[in-house]
């Protein structure tokens, strides 16, 4: 395959995956937020943590040779790149700070960072133990 054609395929994989991930984020985020009774950004929190867990699973399968480089591009870069919401997380955290809710901003920052890292690790461990 020529390098130019390979780049086009890679961009298409990421674009298709990104559209699927962004659509999923929109639907799930709206559903979660409609059920949340606080000002805490639960939809972003849940989406970022679940995306971290899922990317751990994807990379666990890549590590085991079960997923190809193209599938990794589609799922990790595309779907999960479109699904997770780091820019929204940043905006919502800054909004909490500006509104005077510094404690909630700190909880949001520490919670999503720490729990997100735990979720990535958990996804990797899940695949590693299931494939051992």
């Amino acid at each position: 395959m020529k390098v130019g054609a390979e780049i086009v395929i890679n961009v298409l994989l990421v674009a298709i995956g990104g559209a699927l991930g962004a659509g999923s984020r929109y639907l799930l985020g709206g559903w979660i937020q409609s059920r949340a009774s606080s000002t805490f950004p639960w939809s972003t929190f849940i989406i970022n943590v679940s995306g971290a867990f899922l990317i751990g699973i994807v990379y666990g399968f890549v590590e085991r040779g079960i997923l190809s480089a193209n599938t990794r591009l589609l799922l990790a870069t595309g779907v999960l790149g479109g699904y997770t919401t780091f820019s929204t997380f940043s905006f919502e955290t800054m909004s909490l700070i500006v509104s005077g809710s510094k404690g909630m901003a700190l909880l949001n920052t520490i919670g999503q960072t720490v729990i997100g890292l735990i979720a990535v690790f958990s996804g990797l461990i899940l695949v590693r133990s299931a494939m051992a």
Side-chain angles (χ1 to χ4, degrees):
M1 178 181 294
K2 294 182 180 177
V3 174
E6 185 177 343
I7 290 172
V8 169
I9 289 169
N10 289 349
V11 167
L12 286 173
L13 289 170
V14 171
I16 291 165
L20 293 170
S24 298
R25 177 184 72 221
Y26 171 75
L27 292 171
L28 181 60
W31 183 81
I32 293 167
Q33 207 55 43
S34 72
R35 284 149 181 78
S37 60
S38 75
T39 58
F40 188 79
W42 282 112
S43 60
T44 305
F45 189 96
I46 291 167
I47 287 168
N48 282 343
V49 170
S50 64
F53 178 72
L54 291 171
I55 209 164
I57 289 173
V58 169
Y59 277 103
F61 284 136
V62 169
E63 185 180 81
R64 297 287 182 184
I66 294 168
L67 295 179
S68 68
N70 282 350
T71 304
R72 180 192 57 78
L73 274 176
L74 174 71
L75 297 177
T77 306
V79 173
L80 295 173
Y83 175 73
T84 57
T85 54
F86 189 76
S87 58
T88 304
F89 154 75
S90 300
F91 174 77
E92 289 173 344
T93 302
M94 183 54 60
S95 294
L96 288 168
I97 292 169
V98 169
S99 72
S101 299
K102 291 181 175 88
M104 291 289 257
L106 184 62
L107 174 66
N108 193 38
T109 301
I110 292 171
Q112 288 198 52
T113 303
V114 172
I115 295 171
L117 289 171
I118 291 168
V120 169
F121 182 72
S122 298
L124 279 168
I125 294 302
L126 177 71
V127 172
R128 286 177 181 167
S129 64
M131 304 307 242

